[in-house]
Amino acid sequence: MPRKPNTAQRRSQIVDALRQVMAVSGYAGATIQAIAAKSGLAPGLIHYHFHDKHEILVELVETLVAYARLRYERRAAEATTAAERLRAYIDARLAFGDDAQPDAVAAWVMIGVEAVRDADVRAIYQRAVASELALVRGLLKACLRAAGKRVRALDALAAGLLAYTEGAFVLASNARALVPRGFAATLAAEWIERYIAGETDLPRSKPRSARRPRERRA
Amino acid sequence: MPRKPNTAQRRSQIVDALRQVMAVSGYAGATIQAIAAKSGLAPGLIHYHFHDKHEILVELVETLVAYARLRYERRAAEATTAAERLRAYIDARLAFGDDAQPDAVAAWVMIGVEAVRDADVRAIYQRAVASELALVRGLLKACLRAAGKRVRALDALAAGLLAYTEGAFVLASNARALVPRGFAATLAAEWIERYIAGETDLPRSKPRSARRPRERRA
Amino acid sequence: MPRKPNTAQRRSQIVDALRQVMAVSGYAGATIQAIAAKSGLAPGLIHYHFHDKHEILVELVETLVAYARLRYERRAAEATTAAERLRAYIDARLAFGDDAQPDAVAAWVMIGVEAVRDADVRAIYQRAVASELALVRGLLKACLRAAGKRVRALDALAAGLLAYTEGAFVLASNARALVPRGFAATLAAEWIERYIAGETDLPRSKPRSARRPRERRA
Amino acid sequence: MPRKPNTAQRRSQIVDALRQVMAVSGYAGATIQAIAAKSGLAPGLIHYHFHDKHEILVELVETLVAYARLRYERRAAEATTAAERLRAYIDARLAFGDDAQPDAVAAWVMIGVEAVRDADVRAIYQRAVASELALVRGLLKACLRAAGKRVRALDALAAGLLAYTEGAFVLASNARALVPRGFAATLAAEWIERYIAGETDLPRSKPRSARRPRERRA
DNA sequence: CATGAATGAGGATTCATTCAT
DNA sequence: CATGAATGAATCCTCATTCAT
């Protein structure tokens, strides 16, 4: 009577534990002992399901990236205009909701630092950044067009929103008490809105009505 | 024949080495051996000048905070209007210049993470954030007034600029190749400008002349 | 519905796997996992059929000893003179043939080393050496008599042939490329032949016809 | 008052300890703890003077190779004929003397096995074997010429002598009680002598006097 | 002050062995 | 019998810190 493999559950159990421990202690502080204790498993078992600590980290990074994407997509599915989709993105990243993993933000900050040292993590991290930039760029472009504005400096704008997001994570991790609660999403939305308002109008006579038909679901 | 004490020089030598090593390896990777090698000193000497590794970190954090302030003050000294002073701040934080310490940004990111784990570092970090928030708040308030705008949501705005700055550091450390070179300062200035432009005008009839006398050096 | 016991088959399957793994990785490197992988069995099953790893080693040693004997006996069965029987022994040990287990030589070398550490292995190893020495001694004695030579220094001669054999195994494991291919058997035969030729003649007038009747199968 | 480095002494101390421990326990059994205990040093100190265990092994192999060479050269310095030089070699390798390191033989056997697994060790081992083969080849060639014999099968002969030597080490490690004490050197010398005697004479009329002038020191 | 060796606690990893299924 | 998960002791290695010189 062969035993049923439970590796998938165990792996996610361990990855979850790493996320929680890392959020508090960083990667270096996330000892196998600590991960084992948090997950309620024996230390040796960690290495049965993962070759080494690094492999857990890589899986955590992938998990967080996938989950962030999922959060956006769930919200974007309900959006119909470019502005709503951008707002969905901002909320997915910066607003708290029922689907928030409290540790995920802190863990992501730690991962950003670990990316400096670890080539594998850096690769995933940069892939995530690149994909995020492309997504934001598209969202912004659609908003600008919908607003009848010229499309300029998209790359910088996307980078800026990403920087803002990452920085908001850092402050949330380190200085939560010092910043207004929940400021990030609201301010980001206003920032973008006013930035777009400040852009040059397209020469079109009826920009809004003309552009609206172009809107599509992402 | 008593030697001339060289403690101060040695300490800054060691702190410099920690900054450089941390920028690449993080705090956990900044071993005493690595610091010794980078500073050209013997390992034992590190502990002669600092009680422990943690103390070097604390001094590094203080050094970086002080240096960041210095950079701002040097630039602000040449500014005459509120807008110039804000721009001086943005440039001090986000633009590259002759006084840039390339490692400082990366080291600061690492410190932000270390603050999560280390109470002493967290205290300095939060003090630095608080002081930064107060500074930015004042700069923004002056700008809003100078622009004849109502002063609202200052805390959120200051927090947003700080978040943006911290996040720009993170991207500079981890994803430099993916973002437009030097985007951060320019975009920040435009963002603030347009944000202020979008704020409600004050009911005052002559806002500019009326408010100018209130401008002071920070 | 009782299954047919397959213990014997499983055990030899496992012993075979140990032989193959040991030939490459030594005993310390022959982990249960590796043996399991090589034999295509589950790790847990290894310990069902053997109490512990050591027991597998002991059975491997016995298997190799028995197989080496078998190889000799198959060849000796066709020999009619003392010289032929000695040659059969040399070929069984040192020449390659259809019945060669390529790993067996390497595994035997590993076992020789393990014998230093492990009393059980040492016991079997020494029993094997003793039995080998006795066999070789007998073969050499017969050859000397058949050649009409005085029988002297038999123990040393047997030990020398054994040393040569063991050493040839070592070189075959570690330095195959550096020695002439297949040198060992030929040279051993010549060595013994000339050594015997160099021994003092017996005073007997008709040594060969006189001694032949004494020849027997070993 | 800077401290005087003692790394050289410590390293040889540690290498000595490894040799002694390996002679009994093999490389896998030579734990850092065991080496530390044997050398009287703290475990951590082992890693201060050597990067890892493997590095100690490499240095041990080099040390043994160098020492074996030294033993031969000391003896060869007193030899004047080819036969004496060959005998010097055989004695250096196979006879016990005042300069014998009892553990060295056993350690060398262990190393031969470790060479199978470890590429670095294998490289040194094979270099040692190659150098040994070249040396023996030269010695044998000189002997054959001095004896007025045709020079044939030198490579096989050298390989055979080396195999014999290695095998004698194995038996000395594992089955000392079963073989005649000190048989190896004497038998090797006789073996070579009779082998050479059995070779075909050169067609020269006065082989011995003609060839002697060619003898040189090695 | 300076040097570099020394210590030992702590962490990742391996692996024989056990055990639930 | 068979499977593969689980355990925990053992091992290598790192590194902050101490200390003799």
Side-chain angles (χ1 to χ4, degrees), chain D residues 155-174:
Chain D
D155 289 330
L157 201 52
L161 184 49
L162 207 56
Y164 178 89
T165 306
E166 293 281 325
F169 291 173
V170 173
L171 292 189
S173 297
N174 280 319

Side-chain angles (χ1 to χ4, degrees), chain C residues 157-215:
Chain C
L157 200 53
L161 184 50
L162 206 56
Y164 179 91
T165 306
E166 292 281 324
F169 290 173
V170 173
L171 291 189
S173 296
N174 281 319
R176 184 163 293 171
L178 302 175
V179 297
R181 186 152 184 75
F183 79 95
T186 311
L187 182 60
E190 279 192 341
W191 169 38
I192 297 292
E193 186 186 325
R194 294 187 189 180
Y195 186 92
I196 290 179
E199 282 291 271
T200 321
D201 285 330
L202 276 174
R204 302 277 182 140
S205 52
K206 300 169 183 173
R208 286 184 193 183
S209 54
R211 304 242 64 92
R212 251 183 196 151
R214 292 223 176 169
E215 293 205 6

Side-chain angles (χ1 to χ4, degrees), chain A residues 157 164 187 190-192 194-195 198, chain B residues 82-87 89-91 94 136-144 147 149 153-165 184-199:
Chain A
L157 201 53
Y164 179 90
L187 181 59
E190 279 191 340
W191 168 38
I192 296 292
R194 293 188 190 179
Y195 185 93
Chain B
E84 281 171 11
R85 266 196 295 281
L86 180 61
R87 180 68 204 216
Y89 176 82
I90 289 172
D91 284 348
L94 293 169
V136 171
R137 203 179 180 285
L139 293 171
L140 289 169
K141 192 174 184 183
C143 280
L144 281 161
K149 296 293 185 175
L154 264 187
D155 289 332
L157 201 52
L161 184 51
L162 206 56
Y164 178 90
T165 305
T186 309
L187 182 60
E190 279 192 339
W191 168 37
I192 297 293
E193 188 187 324
R194 293 185 189 180
Y195 186 91
I196 289 179
E199 282 293 273

Side-chain angles (χ1 to χ4, degrees), chain B residues 70-154:
Chain B
L70 180 65
R71 278 177 57 123
Y72 163 66
E73 282 168 0
R74 280 209 290 246
R75 283 172 170 77
E78 300 171 1
T80 54
T81 68
E84 281 171 11
R85 266 196 295 281
L86 180 61
R87 180 68 204 216
Y89 176 82
I90 289 172
D91 284 348
R93 291 293 174 274
L94 293 169
F96 292 94
D98 296 340
D99 52 355
Q101 282 180 316
D103 310 312
V105 163
W108 183 255
V109 172
M110 302 295 184
I111 286 166
V113 159
E114 207 53 32
V116 176
R117 304 185 55 195
D118 185 314
D120 290 331
V121 173
R122 186 163 57 246
I124 311 176
Y125 189 90
Q126 291 185 344
R127 227 179 303 137
V129 167
S131 140
E132 207 79 342
L133 283 171
L135 174 59
V136 171
R137 203 179 180 285
L139 293 171
L140 289 169
K141 192 174 184 183
C143 280
L144 281 161
R145 284 191 169 147
K149 296 293 185 175
R150 294 189 56 176
V151 173
R152 292 183 318 135
L154 264 187

Side-chain angles (χ1 to χ4, degrees), chain A residues 19-205:
Chain A
R19 193 193 64 238
Q20 295 172 60
V21 176
M22 261 190 91
V24 172
S25 308
Y27 181 64
T31 66
I32 294 290
Q33 289 287 340
I35 297 169
K38 181 67 82 179
S39 60
L41 304 174
L45 193 54
I46 308 287
H47 281 96
Y48 180 79
H49 292 291
F50 287 94
H51 179 62
D52 57 17
K53 206 178 130 176
H54 174 257
E55 192 182 306
I56 315 177
L57 177 61
V58 167
E59 187 149 319
L60 171 59
V61 179
E62 286 166 349
T63 302
L64 290 179
V65 168
Y67 188 65
R69 185 150 310 169
L70 181 66
R71 277 178 56 122
Y72 162 66
E73 281 166 4
R74 281 208 289 244
R75 283 171 170 77
E78 299 170 4
T80 54
T81 68
E84 281 170 11
R85 265 196 296 279
L86 180 61
R87 181 67 205 217
Y89 176 82
I90 289 171
D91 283 348
R93 292 294 173 272
L94 293 169
F96 292 95
D98 296 340
D99 52 355
Q101 283 179 315
D103 311 310
V105 164
W108 183 254
V109 171
M110 303 294 185
I111 286 166
V113 160
E114 207 52 32
V116 175
R117 302 187 56 193
D118 185 313
D120 289 330
V121 174
R122 187 162 57 245
I124 310 176
Y125 189 89
Q126 292 186 344
R127 227 178 304 136
V129 167
S131 139
E132 207 80 341
L133 283 172
L135 174 59
V136 172
R137 204 180 178 283
L139 293 171
L140 290 169
K141 192 174 183 181
C143 282
L144 281 161
R145 283 193 168 146
K149 297 292 186 177
R150 295 189 55 175
V151 173
R152 291 183 321 134
L154 265 186
D155 290 330
L157 201 53
L161 185 51
L162 207 56
Y164 179 90
T165 306
E166 293 282 324
F169 291 171
V170 173
L171 292 188
S173 297
N174 280 319
R176 183 161 293 169
L178 302 176
V179 296
R181 185 148 185 78
F183 79 95
T186 311
L187 181 59
E190 279 191 340
W191 168 38
I192 296 292
E193 188 186 323
R194 293 188 190 179
Y195 185 93
I196 288 177
E199 281 290 272
T200 322
D201 285 331
L202 276 176
R204 302 277 183 140
S205 51

